[in-house]
Amino acid sequence: MKAHDGMYIDGAWRPAAGRDRIEVVNPADEQVIAEVPAGTAEDVDAAVRAARAALPGWAAVPAPERAALIEALRDVLVARKGEIVATVTAELGSPLGFSEAVHVGAPIAVASSYASLAASYAFEERLGNSTVLLEPIGVVAAITPWNYPLHQIVAKVAPALAAGCTLVLKPAEDTPLTAQLFAEAVHEAGIPAGVFNLVTGTGPVAGQALAAHEGVDLVSFTGSTAVGRQIGATAGAAVKRVALELGGKSANVILPGADLAKAVAAGVGHVMNNSGQSCNALTRMLVHRDEYEEAVSLAAAAAAKYASGDPTDPGTRLGPVVNAKQRDRVRGYIDKGIKEGARLVAGGPEAPHAQGYFVAPTVFADVTPDMTIAQEEIFGPVLSILRYEDEEDALRIANGTVYGLGGAVWAADEETAAAFARRMDTGQVDINGGRFNVLAPFGGYKQSGVGRELGPHGLAEYLQTKSLQF
Ligand code: NAP
Ligand code: MG
């Protein structure tokens, strides 16, 4: 695959300061497909300086003009959709259909939403004898994971641009090619030099240098809770704003009276999509004891239909996980589930193919709330089905983890489901199969994070407030 041997800084591709390289591997066949430079603190410093220098100019561009440039960026993403889809599939392993509909489709919708929000948002409000100005926070450090390579970037860059901020992006080392294509799109859209900068590299070197850089005003991070905690501590010490989108262990609560077959099928799909590598994946299915065995058989049958294999083959529904470390980690959790006494009803720890980082679609029954697989984020195609006695029991189990990112409730009617959802300690709940909404605030309760992304709430994260009294 095509790759730039440089960093996109101040509107051009520039040679990296160091000589280290990152190999990009296709997880479906374990082949090296490209190399990108591994950034150092020196590259990060050059990028932050470029973003700082571009800030006053960009912040002064009238919001409708910023909106027009975000729209132009969206148009480039649309025009280059095929190329981006192929790149996401090559470096992440996601089946082509899912790459097109979700990995590229969703960020295009998010970019569109911020083009309209930038044009319509009230960056000024009147409160009594005050005029309140909502001003860009400044230079943003965006640190993104590999699980949705383009979406995670656009969910930070589009609102930051709409707010009038400038940025430095450090994408995941596993998926830098999608990030390079995004930088090309920014350039083609005519966004001024220095407003968006890209430094590829590893987390502990480039990521850490960026998060700790004194020229950064806001660190927006998506990834693991362990790294998020560290970034939050560093930002706190510097009295710097921080937004953290971390892990999840979301509950899919099926209440008596719900359409069981529909709820189970949707729940299994939610976990198997993207090979279970979604932070809001509904990895815990909660079923009433009277319907439990029926739900287990339905889930096992649904999981078995997730044929794994070459993600470029149209028949494939389940691709590999992103790398060998994730595969080993996920298999370790499957072993642990068996050891702790859960009942394996589909899949298992064995490799389904000789090559590639594949994990079989796996379903566990008889999972109890205290088991490791019911508490920790697995980030693989593994579903746990838990049994509850009554609604109070279901609520205790649903709320009984350190996480609170997503969730779903199914009931006979929307009112019953929504009443239960109000009692859940989590940032999002889908009611009777409610669809993803690019305008709805996305983010976590408890250890799932700080702050919100998407829509007007996501835009507010990139603004700071000034009051003028008259
Ligand atoms: P991660 O290490 O937290 O990676 C997220 C981003 O942070 C990547 O760009 C990473 O760079 C960077 N990073 C790593 N260490 C850093 C540091 N010390 N300072 C600054 N930046 C740093 O996550 P991961 O290792 O890829 O995945 C591990 C687990 O995290 C998964 O199994 C899953 O449980 C969770 N996860 C959650 C999400 C989510 O959307 N909430 C997404 C991905 C993963 P590198 O790419 O070089 O590591
Ligand atoms: Mg990592």
Side-chain angles (χ1 to χ4, degrees):
M1 291 223 113
K2 177 182 103 173
H4 289 276
D5 185 21
M7 308 298 182
Y8 183 73
I9 295 175
D10 203 17
W13 292 93
R14 297 172 196 281
R19 307 178 69 87
D20 286 354
R21 293 283 178 281
I22 292 170
E23 287 186 338
V24 186
V25 174
N26 182 330
D29 61 12
E30 306 181 33
Q31 299 304 303
V32 174
I33 53 172
E35 269 189 7
V36 299
T40 60
E42 215 177 309
D43 298 303
V44 166
D45 188 55
V48 173
R49 282 169 194 279
R52 176 66 50 204
L55 180 65
W58 181 244
V61 170
E65 287 175 35
R66 294 202 301 266
L69 285 165
I70 297 169
E71 203 169 281
L73 172 60
R74 189 271 322 268
D75 292 345
V76 179
L77 296 177
V78 171
R80 297 184 65 177
K81 194 169 180 180
E83 198 183 342
I84 306 173
V85 166
T87 302
V88 170
T89 291
E91 62 182 357
L92 178 67
S94 158
L96 279 177
F98 192 78
S99 293
E100 178 167 1
V102 179
H103 283 291
V104 187
I108 286 171
V110 171
S112 293
S113 75
Y114 279 113
S116 13
L117 272 166
S120 61
Y121 197 78
F123 289 99
E124 224 179 281
E125 61 176 356
R126 195 74 199 172
L127 277 179
N129 62 314
S130 300
T131 294
V132 179
L133 308 177
L134 299 174
E135 300 184 332
I137 182 110
V139 174
V140 175
I143 300 175
T144 55
W146 42 263
N147 64 336
Y148 286 90
L150 184 63
H151 171 74
Q152 304 284 17
I153 291 172
V154 172
K156 298 188 190 307
V157 176
L161 295 179
C165 293
T166 60
L167 309 97
V168 178
L169 167 68
K170 202 302 281 177
E173 67 187 279
D174 287 299
T175 55
L177 302 180
T178 303
Q180 288 194 341
L181 280 180
F182 178 78
E184 286 184 14
V186 165
H187 192 82
E188 246 179 274
I191 290 168
V195 170
F196 169 85
N197 307 275
L198 170 69
V199 176
T200 50
T202 69
V205 179
Q208 179 132 352
L210 180 58
H213 199 291
E214 58 179 21
V216 165
D217 300 301
L218 163 71
V219 184
S220 179
F221 168 83
T222 300
S224 64
T225 302
V227 176
R229 194 175 275 132
Q230 201 180 317
I231 286 177
T234 306
V239 197
K240 195 180 278 184
R241 283 249 302 258
V242 69
L244 305 171
E245 294 287 347
L246 308 177
K249 193 70 193 175
S250 300
N252 182 17
V253 183
I254 306 175
L255 294 175
D259 183 336
L260 188 68
K262 197 171 161 192
V264 170
V268 170
H270 205 272
V271 175
M272 300 306 160
N273 278 340
N274 214 35
S275 299
Q277 304 165 121
S278 304
C279 36
N280 63 344
L282 300 168
T283 51
R284 295 181 299 147
M285 185 181 285
L286 275 58
V287 185
H288 187 268
R289 62 185 160 105
D290 293 345
E291 295 179 321
Y292 190 77
E293 286 307 328
E294 191 187 346
V296 168
S297 327
L298 287 167
K305 292 203 189 103
Y306 278 78
S308 70
D310 178 356
T312 63
D313 177 341
T316 295
R317 293 181 75 193
L318 188 72
V321 297
V322 71
N323 58 34
K325 189 174 145 212
Q326 284 297 118
R327 178 205 49 203
D328 295 345
R329 205 170 159 245
V330 174
R331 285 210 200 136
Y333 276 114
I334 298 174
D335 286 332
K336 195 137 203 189
I338 296 169
K339 209 172 290 162
E340 291 184 3
R343 171 167 51 116
L344 189 64
V345 296
E350 293 78 29
H353 304 286
Q355 218 185 20
Y357 310 127
F358 289 93
V359 178
T362 297
V363 179
F364 277 111
D366 298 343
V367 177
T368 56
D370 54 308
M371 285 182 187
T372 307
I373 56 168
Q375 288 293 327
E376 295 183 16
E377 184 174 51
I378 298 175
F379 236 59
V382 182
L383 172 68
S384 294
I385 312 183
L386 294 94
R387 187 188 279 102
Y388 69 82
E389 296 294 317
D390 54 29
E391 260 194 45
E392 291 310 308
D393 191 32
L395 187 70
R396 249 191 323 272
I397 297 170
N399 287 340
T401 75
V402 296
Y403 294 115
L405 187 60
V409 185
W410 297 80
D413 54 78
E414 287 183 354
E415 292 66 41
T416 309
F420 188 94
R422 284 175 186 276
R423 301 171 71 199
M424 290 171 77
D425 302 331
T426 192
Q428 281 211 346
V429 187
D430 299 335
I431 304 297
N432 276 355
R435 286 168 301 115
F436 182 72
N437 172 6
V438 293
L439 291 177
F442 185 96
Y445 278 33
K446 301 190 283 185
Q447 286 183 31
S448 286
V450 175
R452 292 292 180 271
E453 291 198 305
L454 305 181
H457 292 263
L459 177 51
E461 297 281 330
Y462 296 90
L463 295 167
Q464 57 188 344
T465 316
K466 181 187 285 171
S467 305
L468 309 181
Q469 279 66 246
F470 293 89

